[in-house]
Structure formats: structure tokens, C-alpha cells
Amino acid sequence: MTSMLEQAEQTLETAQAEVNTRWYPRYHLAPRAGWINDPNGLVWFDGWYHAFYQHHPYSTQWGPMHWGHARSKDLVHWEHLPVALAPEGPDDKDGCFSGSAVVNGDTLALIYTGHRFIGDAGSDDNLYQVQCLATSRDGIHFERHGMVIDTPPGLHHFRDPKVWREGDDWFMIVGSRVGDTGQVRLYRSADLHQWHDEGIFDEAEAGMGYMWECPDVFTLNGKRVLMFSPQGIAADGYHNRNLFQSGYLLGDWQPGQPFVRDGGFVEMDHGHDFYAPQSFLTPDGRRIVIAWLAMWESPMPEQQDGWSGMLSLPREVSLSDDNRLLMKPAAEVTALRGSHYPIPVQHLKNQKVPVLANAEAVEVELKWEQHPAAAEEYGIALGDGLRIYVDNQAQRLVLDRRYPEFGVEGSRSIALPAGGILSLRLFIDSSSVEVFVNDGEACLSSRIYPRADQRDLLLFANNGSAVLKEGGYWSLDK
């Protein structure tokens, strides 16, 4: 009898050959074929970075979740490995949902949510989500140990465990939902098998979401960062414009003590597509975050091409002196750079200036002089579909995408940062753009779907003048 893991591999080998690559990423991690969503189990183990991810190998739609798997020596060149987990046990028969990975001596441990229905799958009353364990000595083949934490009484949504070690103990946080209140629950263990309930780590007050998915806790500059993806926060002006958000709360916490917040919820990325971020530590101690570069219930035109979704570039996070989370591309991303092409200083006035034809895999750096700029709008465009520009009247930096034939439209923006120079670092791939502002002060990430004849890059200034102080671009090679 062929196992579910073997069936998944056979399906992927066949489907991979049929993928249309017109929008398939040139340097982002994406599934060989089929569906991808949350990154899981990001970890350094036995000389490799490992990235697991929510995966449905049998179609480009969300379905019974597997754990896809890839590894890398440098965080940017990824090697696909066999599917690591399939929903083949009594505790995860309807899906191996999101989770995390830790190194325990010479063993790699995956802690994930077993998703199962007892009775009619159309009712949440029959849903039970439990936390499961699987281990490996080689980082590729996993022994399943089944459930280690059962569904708490009265709960049904109880998922996405993140595990870390502190002192002599392991700690786990799990996202949950009680009525219409999102919360994060805390557990402690000495061995990853037996867990003690430590109560509620934090929970939503009115307006902060009915479910807190994919929680993560880490320390930066002595502060605890609780990173999570709340569902059910209403849009407020320019804030929380996506259907679901990803962000963080700062606070203080020590084992045995309550988590004490220091400030309110802050979004991490202000583009259209950034969800379920997960963090991990590099061997040299940097905190890296990777997210799903898509958004629930949004159009995904690539589904007609045999694949769906991708992961973001790895991003290093740090905390500023005034306690703001900064996020910039990991240093390893520069390994993708090919030839460099300078963009001469430009004084634009009511004009468009070509930069590059057929920009499909490129990193662009631009430094605009803000104060002399009189143009109502100035920035950079990719064909007719994407513009990243300063709206001088609103004093905002705007990412605007227009692909009406696919139902992919709309703008996202941030308040224009203070200072004389606006520094932008853009990563354009076949179907994505990631914008980093002023060395990590803000990020905007969105999916894009340009036609082959709509990939020319150009600078522009409308209704006035603008000055590009410095610029250049690199071709990027995987």
C-alpha cells in the first residue's frame, strides 16, 4: 500500500511538469506545484536552514494540509525535499495544520496542530484541534508521536503552536478562540511530550479580533515581542485595510509571571499580502521572519497555472531605540545580486524616464530628495499595473496595483517618513513586490500580475518636479 507521503510525492512530480511559469517566482520560495500558505517550522538544524510550510499537493486550492519542506545553506537558494507530514493519523486525519520546529540535542522536533472533525465537518461544534509531535534525526524523515496536548474543554479553534526553550524548560504558545475573543494560551514542558497548562498569555479586548492565529514570542533588546495574525479587526482609515492582519504587541514577561503590554497592536507590513509570519534565530543570533506572501480570500490568478502562493523574503527584525519593530531584508539576500546598473541622478519634471525593460527579477534602490519635490506624485512604475510613489498632497508613500482583469486592484500606503531623503529598496519578482522604506522603518508587500509586455520600469513625476539623488538596480539570479 502506498503511503500518503509517497502519494503526495508522486502527484507533485507529475504536476510540477505542467506548471505554467509566467508568474512563478524566480527567487522566492514557492511550492513545486499545488497550494502553499503559512510558513512552519523555520529552523537551523544540522548545517541547514529548514523551511516547512502548509501545503496541499493535490490542487491549487486549500485542502487537507500537508507539510511541504525545503532547505537552504544561505536562506535564498532553496532545495525542495520530500513532503514531511501528511494527514494520515487519527489525531490529524483532516489536516496537519501550522506549527513550529525546535532542535532538541541531535533531534529535530516538529510541533503542529492536528486538525480533525468528529462527525459533520460542516459544523465547528465537531471540530477538535490538538497539538502533535513528530521527530527526526536526519531532518528529512519524521517519526510521528501523536497528540501531546488535547483540545481544552469548551474550545474548538486551538492551533498554530510556537515552541521555544528558556532555561531548563520548553514553552509553547497556541492561538485560540473563545466565543468572539482571540487569545494566546501558554504551556510548559520539560521534555516536549508532557505539557502543563500555564493559562492565558494574552487575549483580545473589544475590537482586537475573534481569533489570534500563528502566535510567536521572542525577545529583542530586552523586550518581549508577541507577534500574531489577528482575524476580525475592522479597518480604520489607512490602518488594517486587509481582510486579516499581521502585527505585534510589545511587553514584558518572565516565566511564571503575566505578560504586561507596553503599547497597542502595530501592523508589521502595510501591503496587500503578508500573513502568518514566523520567526527563528540564525546561528549568529539574528532574528529572522518569513511570512506567507498572500492573503486569505483574495484572488490568486496563478491558480490557473498549477501552483498558488509563495513565501516572503527572509527579513531581519530589530527594535529601535524608541521601541519600534524594524524589518529589513536579511543580509543573505545580497547573494542573489548579479550585475549592478546605476541610475543617473534625475531631475524629473512632468515626465517619464525609462529605467529597465522587462524587469522580472530585480532589486532596485532609490533615494529621493523629499523637500525640494514639488510634484504632486513622483516615484517608480512597472508597466501600467504597479506604481510606488509619493503623494505629496496627502504626504503618503503609496503602493498602487491595478490588474482589473484578475480582480487584483487597490492601494496601500504609509505616512511619509520624516527627513530629507526617502530611501526605498524594492524587490520585484515575477508576481510580487516587496518595498523596504528607510532601512526597515516600514514595509509594503503585494502580489502583482503583469503581462509579459507590461514589465518595463520607469521613473515619473506628475504635475511638478522631483529629484532622484541616487539610484541603481541589480539583476537577481536564483
Side-chain angles (χ1 to χ4, degrees):
M1 178 178 173
T2 303
S3 74
M4 292 186 70
L5 291 176
E6 291 172 325
Q7 290 177 30
E9 282 302 305
Q10 292 170 4
T11 298
L12 286 168
E13 287 179 12
T14 301
Q16 187 175 0
E18 303 300 321
V19 165
N20 183 337
T21 60
R22 58 177 169 167
W23 291 317
Y24 193 84
R26 301 299 184 255
Y27 58 91
H28 286 77
L29 179 57
R32 289 172 280 173
W35 167 279
I36 187 176
N37 58 283
D38 307 357
N40 302 150
L42 306 177
V43 71
W44 170 265
F45 174 70
D46 197 25
W48 293 88
Y49 291 105
H50 291 259
F52 301 87
Y53 50 86
Q54 291 287 275
H55 187 30
H56 188 228
Y58 297 103
S59 80
T60 61
Q61 307 288 328
W62 185 91
M65 286 292 97
H66 296 55
W67 272 40
H69 188 192
R71 68 180 180 181
S72 171
K73 288 288 189 180
D74 64 1
L75 283 175
V76 291
H77 298 95
W78 293 95
E79 170 194 357
H80 284 285
L81 294 174
V83 174
L85 297 173
E88 54 188 355
D91 298 315
D92 59 19
K93 66 182 182 67
D94 296 307
C96 299
F97 273 24
S98 296
S100 54
V102 294
V103 178
N104 185 18
D106 61 355
T107 300
L108 178 61
L110 306 184
I111 304 93
Y112 67 98
T113 295
H115 183 72
R116 60 182 181 178
F117 286 93
I118 300 176
D120 178 16
S123 172
D124 279 0
D125 291 340
N126 298 321
L127 170 64
Y128 295 91
Q129 295 184 325
V130 301
Q131 313 318 314
C132 300
L133 175 68
T135 58
S136 173
R137 292 294 182 89
D138 64 3
I140 299 175
H141 305 92
F142 289 87
E143 177 186 358
R144 300 157 60 93
H145 301 276
M147 179 180 67
V148 293
I149 299 179
D150 202 351
T151 314
L155 293 190
H156 293 282
H157 292 271
F158 174 63
R159 56 183 175 267
D160 311 337
K162 180 62 189 287
V163 176
W164 75 98
R165 191 173 185 88
E166 195 148 337
D168 295 329
D169 290 321
W170 296 100
F171 291 88
M172 178 197 298
I173 53 172
V174 185
S176 62
R177 176 179 181 175
V178 177
D180 285 329
T181 299
Q183 62 179 208
V184 172
R185 303 174 74 94
L186 178 67
Y187 297 83
R188 185 198 296 248
S189 175
D191 61 3
L192 296 176
H193 290 264
Q194 303 296 322
W195 292 88
H196 178 261
D197 187 347
E198 299 275 300
I200 305 303
F201 188 86
D202 199 2
E203 64 181 349
E205 60 265 21
M208 277 194 66
Y210 59 78
M211 175 69 197
W212 285 8
E213 290 198 315
C214 303
D216 194 344
V217 169
F218 51 90
T219 303
L220 293 174
N221 289 359
K223 301 292 290 186
R224 301 286 183 163
V225 181
L226 172 58
M227 183 173 70
F228 59 105
S229 295
Q231 297 182 324
I233 295 183
D236 179 17
Y238 289 110
H239 302 290
N240 306 317
R241 298 305 310 177
N242 292 328
L243 179 60
F244 303 119
Q245 322 307 321
S246 294
Y248 66 93
L249 292 164
L250 288 184
D252 296 293
W253 175 80
Q254 293 298 326
Q257 301 296 318
F259 175 69
V260 179
R261 291 187 200 170
D262 181 9
F265 177 76
V266 181
E267 290 179 87
M268 291 180 67
D269 189 291
H270 299 271
H272 296 85
D273 296 292
F274 187 88
Y275 194 74
Q278 185 173 114
S279 80
F280 67 100
L281 280 174
T282 62
D284 61 0
R286 290 170 295 144
R287 178 66 58 173
I288 302 295
V289 165
I290 297 176
W292 180 34
L293 208 59
M295 181 58 57
W296 292 115
E297 299 182 37
S298 63
M300 298 178 180
E302 72 272 20
Q303 288 176 316
Q304 62 189 283
D305 292 345
W307 67 283
S308 182
M310 69 173 78
L311 301 186
S312 73
L313 288 175
R315 305 173 178 197
E316 181 180 353
V317 293
S318 59
L319 206 61
S320 68
D321 292 338
D322 58 353
N323 284 340
R324 290 181 300 117
L325 192 72
L326 306 178
M327 192 161 54
K328 62 184 181 181
E332 286 86 349
V333 170
T334 59
L336 294 168
R337 288 175 174 173
S339 300
H340 179 258
Y341 303 90
I343 301 173
V345 172
Q346 299 280 351
H347 294 258
L348 295 88
K349 186 174 183 180
N350 303 330
Q351 66 186 121
K352 299 177 180 179
V353 177
V355 172
L356 171 65
N358 192 31
E360 189 171 30
V362 63
E363 175 189 350
V364 183
E365 286 193 338
L366 303 173
K367 292 185 179 180
W368 294 97
E369 292 190 7
Q370 289 182 241
H371 297 316
E376 291 183 3
E377 296 177 351
Y378 63 93
I380 190 168
L382 180 71
D384 293 334
L386 174 68
R387 294 195 308 156
I388 298 150
Y389 66 95
V390 170
D391 182 332
N392 234 342
Q393 297 179 90
Q395 283 292 286
R396 299 190 70 83
L397 177 67
V398 181
L399 187 159
D400 183 79
R401 63 178 185 180
R402 301 289 166 183
Y403 304 99
E405 64 270 39
F406 304 118
V408 178
E409 296 188 274
S411 297
R412 296 290 183 268
S413 67
I414 60 169
L416 200 58
I421 300 296
L422 175 65
S423 176
L424 302 179
R425 193 173 173 193
L426 296 78
F427 290 84
I428 297 170
D429 205 339
S430 300
S431 57
S432 67
V433 60
E434 294 175 76
V435 182
F436 297 87
V437 183
N438 287 3
D439 201 29
E441 287 186 13
C443 309
L444 300 98
S445 303
S446 294
R447 295 298 299 274
I448 58 175
Y449 298 94
R451 301 195 309 267
D453 61 351
Q454 288 290 328
R455 289 191 172 275
D456 291 350
L457 268 182
L458 57 87
L459 303 176
F460 67 89
N462 297 335
N463 299 319
S465 61
V467 178
L468 180 70
K469 179 180 176 63
E470 186 179 329
Y473 64 90
W474 291 264
S475 59
L476 299 183
D477 304 309
K478 188 172 183 180

